[in-house]
Amino acid sequence: MKIFHLNINDSLLQSVKEISKPWGCYVLYQNTPISRLGGTDAKGILYIGKADNLYNRVASLQKSVLKNCNNNDKVKMGGHQSLSKKVFRIQRFLDVSKMTIKIVVLPTYESILYTESYLLEDYVNQFGELPPLNGQYGNYEFNDAKQYLEMNNIKFEV
């Protein structure tokens, strides 16, 4: 399992050279506290996602965020379509200069489904709601995902 950290403006090309598997999970951070229903998310997690093609998915995420922050005109579609709209709607609360993406390359496609589910459910357990840019839950219940990750010795902390 490889872990990469990059700023939202960084090029993926250098990281992709080291990625041996195309699938994984990623987390977009604001890196400033965000008030949530159940308390304050000190890390400022904006989005938790999975990808069967990390390069394309993270590039799409970057495009959606960068095109729609500090844009007072209208939604600029590109990249992840629904994320573009969400970013545009909350742009006044976002600071692109502080955003980072954590990318974790996982061993199997199945492991990304369980990992994303676990991370989303864990977030909801802590804060009472999904991260601000997420629109849906993962495929698996929290306990099923947790058990799968433990059995496969997968540890991914946000």
Side-chain angles (χ1 to χ4, degrees):
M1 184 166 69
K2 284 195 164 222
I3 299 174
F4 302 92
H5 295 269
L6 58 140
N7 290 327
I8 192 78
N9 290 308
D10 289 350
S11 168
L12 285 174
L13 294 177
Q14 191 59 34
S15 297
V16 169
K17 291 178 184 175
E18 300 177 39
I19 294 177
S20 59
K21 302 266 192 239
W23 46 76
C25 287
Y26 56 94
V27 179
L28 175 64
Y29 296 90
Q30 171 74 15
N31 293 307
T32 56
I34 299 174
S35 294
R36 310 301 293 151
L37 286 174
T40 300
D41 172 7
K43 296 175 183 176
I45 295 171
L46 295 171
Y47 190 80
I48 296 171
K50 67 180 182 322
D52 56 6
N53 183 322
L54 276 169
Y55 179 80
N56 288 345
R57 187 64 168 163
V58 174
S60 174
L61 171 83
Q62 286 177 301
K63 185 183 290 185
S64 295
V65 170
L66 294 173
K67 281 187 168 196
N68 288 290
C69 275
N70 304 320
N71 168 21
N72 296 319
D73 191 20
K74 62 181 182 174
V75 177
K76 302 243 188 305
M77 299 309 268
H80 189 299
Q81 301 291 323
S82 65
L83 191 64
S84 293
K85 291 176 187 174
K86 291 175 190 172
V87 169
F88 178 79
R89 288 182 182 124
I90 66 168
Q91 67 179 301
R92 70 181 180 274
F93 303 108
L94 301 175
D95 184 351
V96 174
S97 69
K98 295 181 180 177
M99 286 185 195
T100 58
I101 305 169
K102 181 178 185 178
I103 303 169
V104 178
V105 180
L106 292 158
T108 65
Y109 179 77
E110 182 180 42
S111 65
I112 71 173
L113 301 175
Y114 281 102
T115 301
E116 181 199 40
S117 294
Y118 174 80
L119 294 173
L120 287 169
E121 292 291 340
D122 186 50
Y123 190 91
V124 171
N125 287 340
Q126 288 180 60
F127 302 111
E129 59 187 318
L130 288 166
L133 296 175
N134 278 92
Q136 61 189 23
Y137 291 87
N139 297 332
Y140 299 100
E141 296 295 323
F142 179 76
N143 288 333
D144 294 337
K146 182 178 179 184
Q147 183 180 23
Y148 176 89
L149 297 179
E150 288 171 353
M151 284 178 20
N152 291 279
N153 199 29
I154 297 173
K155 296 176 182 152
F156 178 11
E157 308 249 343
V158 290

